[in-house]
Amino acid sequence: GHIVRNWKVRWFVLLQDKLLYYKIEGGKKEPSPKGRILLDGCTITCPCLEYENRPLLIKLKTKTNTDYFLECCSREERDSWALDITGAIHAGHPVQVQELHRMKNSFKLLENISLHHIVERMCDSSTGIKLTRNLEQGNRYKETFTGSALVDWLISNSFAVSRFEAVTLASMLMEENFIKPVGARSTEAMRYSDLSEQFLDDSTALYMFAESSKKNISSREELQFNISELSGTIVKQGFLVKQGHKRKNWKVRRFVLRADPAFLHYYDPTKEENRPVGGFSLRGCLVSALEDNGVPAGVKGNVQGNLFKIITKNDIHYYIQASSKAERAQWIEAIKPLT
């Protein structure tokens, strides 16, 4: 409410240029709207973290600087409303609407992302993620945060544009031992789920900072790359999971596909510097999807689904996991013309 700052249940109707809201009496909305929010010139904030105990908020600021705080019933509902409201705000700009839906369905994180920087921001006493005590199955945990709270924080701080990307980032933080699961729900997901489902976007899954998150990662010998192979046009980039050649473990890497010359490089997102840790020429390579029924020969660990393989002309085999079948197909389609 604008006068009395209380919270009221309202029935909302989204039109092309406005958001109407109605009072509800006897389980039915009244015939005339109680008020309206004009969307022309509005800015939207989602998730809005201004109320610590209300994580499901959308904030609308009109062009006359009036703030509206709208609370939804679930994160899915909140994000769906936010997407549709944003589309209505930009309805007169079809290019922006197309970009909005592309962002919703794409898997594209910040190019120069640094996990160190994210953790530093998370630890900030004023703008970082809020740490709370939580009780789970009789166990009391100090200084924890929930999976859904971390996803909201990553989006609100512009580290990701969708929950899908934020979950991927959170999985990277857990994979690189910056955060760790605590409690039965998040620990079981870590142990028994597929790689893409080990981090839970859930208000009952608890996490905390790992002790190793503050230590510096030991430096390794830098690989030398020819400047020419890094000068090609970037065709596609994104985060994938790659199997190591020696230890056969799986690590999240940022892959960059370049043309003229055709190379595929991968970067360690925990490193501050923007230098690849590996890469190879695509000329003469073979790329193919791997079947999802069982673990293919050459693949170690409990990793199944959305895998593809690249064989270089020197017969080096790279096993890579995408986050979905659609993403795997997109990468294969982008790589094939460059081989």
Side-chain angles (χ1 to χ4, degrees):
H2 288 293
I3 300 174
V4 180
R5 295 290 181 175
N6 55 358
W7 296 83
K8 295 287 188 181
V9 175
R10 294 289 183 253
W11 182 269
F12 280 82
V13 176
L14 176 62
L15 303 180
Q16 185 173 1
D17 59 345
K18 64 178 72 74
L19 192 60
L20 304 178
Y21 53 94
Y22 298 76
K23 290 181 67 175
I24 298 178
E25 295 291 343
K28 296 182 179 180
K29 73 180 180 71
E30 293 186 342
S32 300
K34 173 73 175 176
R36 64 178 184 173
I37 304 171
L38 298 178
L39 297 177
D40 180 41
C42 260
T43 58
I44 183 170
T45 303
C46 179
C48 171
L49 304 183
E50 293 189 25
Y51 290 83
E52 187 174 342
N53 62 338
R54 294 182 181 274
L56 303 179
L57 289 183
I58 295 171
K59 177 183 177 181
L60 289 175
K61 179 184 284 290
T62 68
K63 65 179 180 181
T64 58
N65 290 323
T66 302
D67 291 340
Y68 291 87
F69 294 92
L70 316 178
E71 184 173 33
C72 300
C73 299
S74 68
R75 283 178 169 79
E76 292 77 16
E77 184 181 69
R78 179 196 65 186
D79 295 343
S80 176
W81 270 101
L83 182 73
D84 291 336
I85 292 172
T86 306
I89 291 173
H90 299 305
H93 307 279
V95 173
Q96 289 180 293
V97 175
Q98 291 175 7
E99 179 68 9
L100 175 72
H101 287 280
R102 186 198 65 77
M103 288 171 60
K104 178 192 175 186
N105 298 313
S106 70
F107 183 59
K108 181 181 179 183
L109 295 172
L110 298 176
E111 181 178 352
N112 297 318
I113 202 161
S114 165
L115 296 188
H116 288 285
H117 176 59
I118 293 175
V119 173
E120 287 178 1
R121 289 278 299 277
M122 288 175 65
C123 294
D124 188 279
S125 58
S126 58
T127 61
I129 192 165
K130 303 299 181 184
L131 302 179
T132 59
R133 293 185 178 186
N134 281 283
L135 186 67
E136 184 187 89
Q137 296 182 347
N139 296 318
R140 189 176 299 276
Y141 301 99
K142 297 181 179 179
E143 297 188 331
T144 63
F145 46 87
T146 66
S148 54
L150 177 55
V151 170
D152 283 349
W153 185 89
L154 289 169
I155 296 173
S156 66
N157 285 271
S158 301
F159 289 115
V161 298
S162 68
R163 303 197 75 78
F164 177 66
E165 291 184 2
V167 168
T168 303
L169 259 184
S171 300
M172 292 163 56
L173 291 170
M174 192 167 63
E175 171 73 13
E176 300 297 339
N177 204 31
F178 286 103
I179 64 173
K180 65 179 181 180
V182 291
R185 181 151 170 70
S186 56
T187 303
E188 287 179 4
M190 176 73 173
R191 290 176 179 173
Y192 303 115
S193 298
D194 291 340
L195 195 65
S196 60
E197 300 174 349
Q198 289 184 353
F199 179 87
L200 300 178
D201 178 8
D202 194 295
S203 59
T204 64
L206 301 180
Y207 299 88
M208 66 187 303
F209 289 110
E211 292 182 4
S212 61
S213 64
K214 297 182 180 180
K215 72 179 183 178
N216 293 326
I217 298 176
S218 59
S219 60
R220 283 179 276 178
E221 183 178 354
E222 292 186 348
L223 297 175
Q224 298 298 318
F225 291 92
N226 190 316
I227 295 178
S228 64
E229 69 183 68
L230 297 173
S231 64
T233 302
I234 295 178
V235 176
K236 184 176 177 61
Q237 59 182 315
F239 287 85
L240 300 166
V241 185
K242 172 186 166 295
Q243 180 178 263
H245 288 295
K246 295 180 180 179
R247 295 179 58 191
K248 303 298 182 184
N249 55 350
W250 292 85
K251 293 287 187 180
V252 176
R253 294 290 181 250
R254 178 170 66 87
F255 279 79
V256 178
L257 177 63
R258 293 182 171 91
D260 299 320
F263 274 83
L264 184 63
H265 293 99
Y266 48 94
Y267 298 71
D268 184 346
T270 67
K271 297 294 185 182
E272 294 284 354
E273 68 274 8
N274 189 31
R275 288 182 54 82
V277 296
F280 51 91
S281 170
L282 290 172
R283 295 303 179 193
C285 283
L286 298 175
V287 57
S288 60
L290 297 177
E291 297 296 331
D292 290 343
N293 53 347
V295 180
V299 175
K300 303 295 182 182
N302 185 25
V303 179
Q304 299 183 28
N306 309 322
L307 291 168
F308 64 99
K309 178 172 65 173
I310 301 175
I311 305 175
T312 70
K313 64 180 180 181
N314 297 325
D315 199 33
I316 298 175
H317 293 224
Y318 289 86
Y319 295 97
I320 302 170
Q321 183 185 27
S323 58
S324 66
K325 289 183 179 180
E327 187 196 29
R328 176 177 66 180
Q330 291 169 8
W331 273 99
I332 292 175
E333 290 173 6
I335 291 171
K336 274 187 176 180
L338 303 177
T339 61

